Amino acid sequence: MGNFISKNVSLFLTVAALAYAYKYIDNKSKAITKPVGDALAKIMMAYNGNFEIKREWSGFVLKASKLNDRHEVINMRWYEAMGKLNDNNHVLLDEIFDNYRLKPKYIPLIDGEVSPASIATINKR
């Protein structure tokens, strides 16, 4: 066993050095390739006639399937998408959630519309 290790030490060191170099280059290249990839994606979206969906009115439906039993958000993509639909939706999300957990007074909004009017109605109680 010792003979095998002594004969292959340089091979082990070379493999370890290559693995380290690959990981280093991979981590550094992410900082460059991500913005380039995002820019190319936006160019292709514009070329294909696609665009981000924006709504003129703020509000969304708070589906029970997006929350767990403790009323915490389980689908972060849904949460982010609702925030991007309208600039004012971030205000609504910040109002009804505390660290991605639905505040107890807003539980009646589950499976209903969350809008400035519905939040105002809850806050009047």
Side-chain angles (χ1 to χ4, degrees):
M1 180 75 173
N3 194 17
F4 173 78
I5 293 174
S6 64
K7 287 185 178 182
N8 293 308
V9 165
S10 63
L11 176 64
F12 292 140
L13 290 175
T14 303
V15 169
L18 288 173
Y20 176 78
Y22 172 78
K23 196 170 205 165
Y24 179 80
I25 291 169
D26 186 46
N27 286 338
K28 294 297 180 185
S29 67
K30 286 180 185 176
I32 297 168
T33 58
K34 181 164 178 22
V36 171
D38 290 344
L40 287 174
K42 287 182 180 180
I43 291 169
M44 289 305 296
M45 283 177 59
Y47 177 76
N48 291 328
N50 299 336
F51 52 90
E52 289 185 6
I53 298 172
K54 289 283 189 181
R55 284 197 312 205
E56 304 233 352
W57 68 93
S58 60
F60 55 91
V61 175
L62 179 59
K63 295 183 180 182
S65 62
K66 306 302 181 194
L67 306 173
N68 63 16
D69 294 337
R70 294 179 292 170
H71 301 113
E72 296 170 333
V73 175
I74 56 174
N75 189 334
M76 291 307 294
R77 286 184 187 237
W78 169 84
Y79 187 88
E80 292 170 6
M82 291 304 103
K84 290 181 179 180
L85 273 176
N86 183 288
D87 294 335
N88 292 331
N89 280 3
H90 283 292
V91 175
L92 300 176
L93 289 168
D94 290 342
E95 174 68 28
I96 66 170
F97 286 103
D98 185 22
N99 290 328
Y100 305 110
R101 185 174 188 168
L102 187 65
K103 294 177 183 175
K105 71 179 182 178
Y106 297 113
I107 290 175
L109 294 177
I110 294 177
D111 287 329
E113 181 186 7
V114 177
S115 65
S118 63
I119 289 178
T121 302
I122 295 279
N123 288 334
K124 285 182 184 177
R125 294 182 183 174

